[in-house]
Amino acid sequence: MLELRNCPVCDTIKEVCRVVHIRKDDKLYACPTCGVLFASPQYEPSELKHIYNKEFYNDDVTLHKGTTALGGAPDPTATETIRKALIKRYPALAAPGIKILDYGCGLGQFLATFKKYGADCLGIELSGVAAASARQRFGLNVIEGDEETLEELPDGEFQLIS
């Protein structure tokens, strides 16, 4: 694991950031300068790949806690509520054809909800199992990749990035 010394967005020193939550392996910090929440220490990319492929999703796309991941359908309560809240705050997101990027899209429920209303959706997911499931279940365009995959995308392409 990698101990962060500064905010990963604006480089504010970690000591002035407020601890907002303590977890088993890390702490979540709130940066007073830019408002981002970040964890420290953070997993190395190779550690994350292992966690997502072996400890979070397994080969039959069930969560390792033994629960099948939403049975292949978007959760209407959660994803519809999020969509409506976003549109209330940003009405332009209701327009058909808006471009959405979901980095860490998981099984694709968030993107599937927007796609249902005509959005042009792209997902990036570290877990190959989850990415394949999102493509198969919802017909989504999902790339298996990490944060370096973001560098390959054109600037200014998306109206919403989550």
Side-chain angles (χ1 to χ4, degrees), residues 74-145:
D75 176 1
T77 328
T79 57
E80 286 289 347
T81 300
I82 293 167
R83 180 183 171 275
K84 288 176 184 174
L86 285 168
I87 289 170
K88 184 176 180 179
R89 188 161 185 177
Y90 306 103
L93 296 178
I98 65 159
K99 291 190 170 203
I100 298 176
L101 169 65
D102 189 2
Y103 176 68
C105 70
L107 299 170
Q109 293 88 355
F110 178 77
L111 287 177
T113 298
F114 272 90
K115 181 181 176 187
K116 180 170 67 173
Y117 294 96
D120 182 5
C121 301
L122 174 64
I124 298 175
E125 173 55 42
L126 189 59
S127 167
V129 171
S133 177
R135 288 190 294 266
Q136 179 188 13
R137 290 180 179 189
F138 304 121
L140 293 169
N141 180 11
V142 177
I143 301 168
E144 181 183 348

Side-chain angles (χ1 to χ4, degrees), residues 16 21 37 86 112 121:
V16 301
H21 189 67
L37 293 177
L86 285 168
C121 301

Side-chain angles (χ1 to χ4, degrees), residues 1-4 23-28 38-52 55 103 126 146-147:
M1 293 184 80
L2 174 66
E3 187 71 35
L4 295 185
R23 302 187 293 194
K24 179 183 157 202
D25 295 329
D26 62 13
K27 294 177 183 176
L28 293 180
F38 65 94
S40 184
Q42 293 188 348
Y43 290 104
E44 300 282 351
S46 61
E47 293 171 309
L48 279 176
K49 186 86 169 166
H50 172 77
I51 289 168
Y52 275 74
E55 295 183 23
Y103 176 68
L126 189 59
D146 58 18
E147 64 187 56

